[in-house]
């Protein structure tokens, strides 16, 4: 079965074509900077690697370009759009309506639209991706896989905010949780590796967006992101946890508009706001040269993660393993070292030599006498989406 995965972001479309159930990647690619005169299209199959710059004004044109590449008579990978059996769409916000992978129909599209105000950067782009794919791949089944779905198991005591109850009951204000596809994928890999006895896991997804999930007996029981993907850990450009009074102070006393505050908290804060850099590689390099802002930002980042590990260990009444994943979690030995430092109380001990090793597969980086396992697991959201699509249709 040929399953095309589409991850349509605010200015990009990532895609991957997989053969399932073998999980063979037929091709993968991305269009970045949609809306600019210099949009970058990358495409990689077993035989070809193509990078081109075009003017791509919107997602519709982007998906048309991708379809043309897939069908290209020389370098393409399919002969007809009918060769695609199903399309799995990553949808960021499924609200409380979707806790399962879902076949898309008009009602589903209406609900995704309804949840757009909750994820204004993501859901509208996801919807455009769905509508275009329906037009271009008429015979393919269209399926939505929601980032929020894995957190549908979080109990009320953890997902409800202490604000008037009608806002929860009638307006849907609650913590939803995100990065669910990634947390599900890596926690299942951890369980495959460690066995079911390791039932209390903490999954730490550190990429451009960062989040942390407590997983007990295979299900999410608490998560650091909340109503929107902005709460919790310090991210590339997002602040994570802040006191909401700061928003009112900035608006009422300092004279910022609400839109400006929103822009600052989501796009100009986090590691970027602290250091002037948003890529952790630059921050680590500057820190090694003595840049004090960068040194402090790294410490703050690790400290926030440690606090959540402490909180989730208490929530689960114990801890069997922590998992590092995504761009930073998989690649930054420094961030892992800062997080795992002085965690003796938890019986969590990092093996410094193992921490420096690199590998594209799962690896255990704790010392032999560490009671808590420390794992680095490469995430694969596309494969997880393909698995869920395949399982739904078979
Ligand atoms: P992701 O969103 O999972 O693609 O992660 C992207 C982020 O991972 C980048 O912004 C970098 O900050 C970080 N990253 C990638 N490679 C490395 C590396 N070798 N060392 C430190 N950080 C890295």
């Amino acid at each position: 079965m040929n399953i095309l995965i589409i991850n349509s972001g605010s200015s990009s479309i990532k895609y991957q074509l997989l053969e399932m159930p073998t999980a063979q990647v037929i091709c993968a690619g991305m269009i970045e900077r949609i809306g600019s005169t210099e949009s970058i299209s990358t495409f990689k199959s077993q035989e070809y690697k193509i990078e081109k710059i075009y003017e791509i004004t919107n997602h519709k044109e982007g998906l048309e370009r991708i379809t043309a590449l897939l069908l290209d008579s020389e370098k393409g990978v399919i002969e007809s759009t009918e060769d695609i059996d199903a399309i799995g769409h990553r949808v960021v916000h499924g609200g409380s309506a979707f806790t399962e992978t879902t076949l898309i129909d008009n009602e589903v599209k209406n609900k995704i639209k309804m949840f757009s105000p909750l994820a204004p950067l993501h859901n509208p782009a996801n919807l455009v991706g769905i509508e275009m794919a329906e037009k271009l791949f008429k015979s393919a089944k269209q399926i939505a896989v929601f980032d929020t779905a894995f957190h549908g198991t979080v109990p009320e005591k953890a997902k409800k905010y202490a604000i008037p109850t009608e806002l929860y009951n009638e307006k849907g204000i609650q913590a939803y949780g995100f990065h669910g596809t990634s947390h599900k994928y890596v926690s299942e890999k951890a369980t495959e590796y460690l066995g079911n006895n390791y039932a209390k896991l903490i999954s730490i997804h550190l990429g451009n967006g960062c989040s942390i999930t407590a997983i007990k007996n295979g299900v999410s029981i608490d998560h650091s992101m909340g109503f929107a993907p902005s709460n919790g850990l310090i991210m590339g450009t997002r602040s994570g946890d802040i006191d909401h009074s700061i928003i009112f102070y900035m608006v009422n006393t300092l004279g910022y508009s609400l839109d400006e505050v929103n822009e600052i908290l989501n796009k100009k804060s986090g590691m970027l706001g602290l250091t002037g850099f948003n890529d952790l590689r630059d921050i680590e390099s500057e820190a090694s040269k003595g840049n004090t802002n960068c040194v402090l930002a790294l410490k703050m980042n690790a400290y926030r993660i440690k606090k959540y590990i402490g909180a989730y260990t208490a929530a689960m009444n114990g801890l069997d393993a922590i998992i590092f994943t995504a761009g930073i979690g998989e690649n930054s030995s420094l961030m892992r070292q800062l997080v795992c430092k002085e965690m003796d109380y938890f019986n969590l001990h990092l093996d410094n030599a193992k921490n420096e090793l690199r590998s594209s597969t799962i690896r255990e980086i704790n010392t032999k006498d560490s009671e808590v396992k420390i794992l680095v697991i490469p995430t694969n959201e596309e494969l997880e989406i393909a698995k869920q699509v395949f399982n739904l249709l078979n």
Side-chain angles (χ1 to χ4, degrees), residues 45-84:
S45 66
Q46 267 149 13
E47 288 162 334
Y48 297 102
K49 205 172 169 185
I50 308 169
E51 186 170 327
K52 279 197 174 159
I53 297 189
Y54 303 99
E55 177 174 1
I56 298 179
T57 42
N58 53 38
H59 284 72
K60 177 174 174 289
E61 278 178 33
L63 260 175
E64 280 168 354
R65 284 268 178 211
I66 291 167
T67 312
L69 262 172
L70 297 177
L71 287 166
D72 188 89
S73 57
E74 191 197 339
K75 296 177 179 167
V77 287
I78 52 170
E79 283 173 10
S80 140
T81 52
E82 290 182 9
D83 292 341
I84 304 291

Side-chain angles (χ1 to χ4, degrees), residues 205-209 278-281 284 326-328 331-332 358:
H205 178 112
L206 303 176
N208 282 321
N278 111 43
D279 193 305
L280 202 82
R281 285 164 285 205
E284 287 186 1
I328 296 168
N331 295 301
S332 172
R358 299 181 72 85

Side-chain angles (χ1 to χ4, degrees), residues 49-182:
K49 205 172 169 185
I50 308 169
E51 186 170 327
K52 279 197 174 159
I53 297 189
Y54 303 99
E55 177 174 1
I56 298 179
T57 42
N58 53 38
H59 284 72
K60 177 174 174 289
E61 278 178 33
L63 260 175
E64 280 168 354
R65 284 268 178 211
I66 291 167
T67 312
L69 262 172
L70 297 177
L71 287 166
D72 188 89
S73 57
E74 191 197 339
K75 296 177 179 167
V77 287
I78 52 170
E79 283 173 10
S80 140
T81 52
E82 290 182 9
D83 292 341
I84 304 291
D85 301 295
I87 302 191
H89 296 270
R90 177 189 176 206
V91 180
V92 166
H93 215 309
S96 39
F98 300 109
T99 50
E100 303 282 342
T101 293
T102 307
L103 197 61
I104 297 170
D105 58 17
N106 283 337
E107 201 188 324
V108 172
K109 280 190 282 182
N110 284 338
K111 285 201 175 131
I112 294 173
K113 199 170 181 179
M114 204 172 90
F115 296 129
S116 284
L118 305 187
L121 294 180
H122 297 100
N123 270 33
N126 300 155
L127 201 58
V128 174
I130 291 169
E131 283 169 346
M132 279 310 297
E134 284 175 333
K135 285 192 188 124
L136 292 165
F137 299 89
K138 289 197 169 66
S139 62
K141 296 253 183 342
Q142 309 283 339
I143 285 132
V145 179
F146 297 92
D147 259 27
T148 43
F150 182 57
H151 304 294
T153 46
V154 171
E156 274 193 321
K157 68 179 176 189
K159 72 179 178 191
K160 200 171 164 183
Y161 293 109
I163 56 176
T165 287
E166 55 269 26
L167 290 171
Y168 171 73
N169 288 341
E170 291 159 29
K171 307 289 178 197
I173 299 185
Q174 61 165 79
Y176 287 101
F178 299 87
H179 290 144
T181 317
S182 174

